[in-house]
Amino acid sequence: MALCRFISRRGPIKEMHSDCGTNFTGAAKLLQPVDQFTRSKEYQHQCQAYLTARNIRWHFNPPSAPHFGGLWEAGVKSVKTLLYRTLGLQRLTYEELNTLLSRIEATLNSRPLGALSSDPSDFEALTPSHFLTLMTSTANVEPNLDNIPLSHFQRWRLIKDLHTHFWKRWQNEYLQTLQQRTKWTNHSDNLTPNMLVLVREPTSPLLWKLGRILSLSPGQDGIARVATVQTTTGIIKRPIVKLCPLPVC
């Protein structure tokens, strides 16, 4: 069912990478007779050429080697850990949990991976959502309910608050991975003018504050600790510890 939902949302799959879980190996065995049938001589050549290009190639990790899937395992771990801490003892219905997971999915797919171009006037970053929908993740516009009692919109407000709490915690953890922390005795110049950076400031969910460095302000020792950044809303000055560089993809 998970595979059917994934294909329905994202389209046909050519290759699948997973561990050796029984649900994955069972799905691969279930699809194998279909694959053999489409490759058989009895099958019409025209349909064979059409369908074999859409068969799924399943790549399994070696047994007892979950670290081979470190890329997706790290993402699953971060979501599950923060989700447990966010939900606590709160009990959600299937509809509410599905809505929250959909919002979390959009949150993770909105993270900046790198600059789309080296153009100084381009403030857009490449995100996982670009590979899925060819555009950035978006959220529907919602009214501000901070001053309205929770009981008026209890269940809807609960999902919104849980997503906001998840966003704040996950954003801080992700931003820490973008900054190289070296010992204070070592210095590395990893920021340059016109570089696209992510400004570490509290924002609304799915909103990342991006800008281009205009200039660096070195101190008396020649080390730059402050940068002037051009954003879509204007020019700001920030310490470089609040700026996360994004490489050009």
Side-chain angles (χ1 to χ4, degrees):
M1 287 189 292
L3 187 63
C4 291
R5 290 194 300 269
F6 186 87
I7 296 176
S8 298
R9 287 177 175 173
R10 305 303 184 189
I13 302 174
K14 187 176 181 180
E15 295 187 0
M16 178 75 75
H17 295 257
S18 69
D19 54 34
C20 295
T22 55
N23 52 343
F24 296 136
T25 56
K29 291 179 181 178
L30 185 65
L31 296 174
Q32 189 174 7
V34 180
D35 181 43
Q36 294 175 350
F37 174 68
T38 57
R39 296 178 183 274
S40 64
K41 294 182 179 179
E42 295 79 7
Y43 203 69
Q44 299 178 8
H45 294 289
Q46 185 175 0
C47 294
Q48 178 182 0
Y50 178 82
L51 290 178
T52 51
R54 288 158 177 79
N55 287 331
I56 301 174
R57 296 180 57 191
W58 213 298
H59 301 269
F60 290 105
N61 293 336
S64 302
H67 61 281
F68 273 64
L71 185 62
W72 62 79
E73 294 288 355
V76 172
K77 177 183 178 181
S78 63
V79 172
K80 290 173 65 176
T81 302
L82 292 181
L83 193 60
Y84 288 148
R85 296 174 181 174
T86 301
L87 290 178
L89 300 178
Q90 183 66 48
R91 299 179 63 180
L92 303 179
T93 64
Y94 171 80
E95 189 95 9
E96 293 166 346
L97 182 59
N98 194 26
T99 302
L100 179 61
L101 291 177
S102 298
R103 287 191 167 200
I104 291 176
E105 176 185 337
T107 299
L108 268 63
N109 289 335
S110 72
R111 67 186 186 275
L113 301 176
L116 277 177
S117 69
S118 57
D119 185 0
S121 61
D122 186 8
F123 298 97
E124 190 172 0
L126 181 67
T127 67
S129 183
H130 282 91
F131 297 100
L132 301 173
T133 62
L134 302 181
M135 61 182 66
T136 57
S137 299
T138 57
N140 59 310
V141 180
E142 296 180 347
N144 187 358
L145 305 178
D146 294 340
N147 298 324
I148 299 179
L150 179 61
S151 58
H152 288 193
F153 304 97
Q154 189 166 1
R155 303 309 295 182
W156 175 41
R157 172 74 175 278
L158 175 63
I159 302 302
K160 182 177 181 297
D161 290 348
L162 288 174
H163 177 233
T164 302
H165 182 64
F166 178 91
W167 160 262
K168 290 179 180 179
R169 300 192 64 160
W170 180 82
Q171 183 191 38
N172 289 333
E173 290 191 5
Y174 176 68
L175 289 177
Q176 291 176 5
T177 64
L178 297 181
Q179 288 184 314
Q180 275 192 335
R181 297 183 179 275
T182 57
K183 193 172 178 61
W184 64 272
T185 55
N186 298 327
H187 175 68
S188 59
D189 296 323
N190 58 345
L191 295 179
T192 57
N194 295 330
M195 176 179 285
L196 184 68
V197 294
L198 195 157
V199 184
R200 297 191 59 172
E201 289 185 355
T203 60
S204 302
L206 304 184
L207 179 62
W208 302 88
K209 191 166 186 177
L210 302 174
R212 293 274 182 179
I213 294 181
L214 294 179
S215 62
L216 299 172
S217 302
Q220 294 181 355
D221 54 1
I223 299 177
R225 296 183 177 86
V226 179
T228 303
V229 182
Q230 173 71 57
T231 67
T232 55
T233 57
I235 299 176
I236 59 175
K237 270 193 174 184
R238 293 293 184 273
I240 61 174
V241 294
K242 294 290 186 179
L243 303 177
C244 304
L246 298 175
V248 179
C249 295

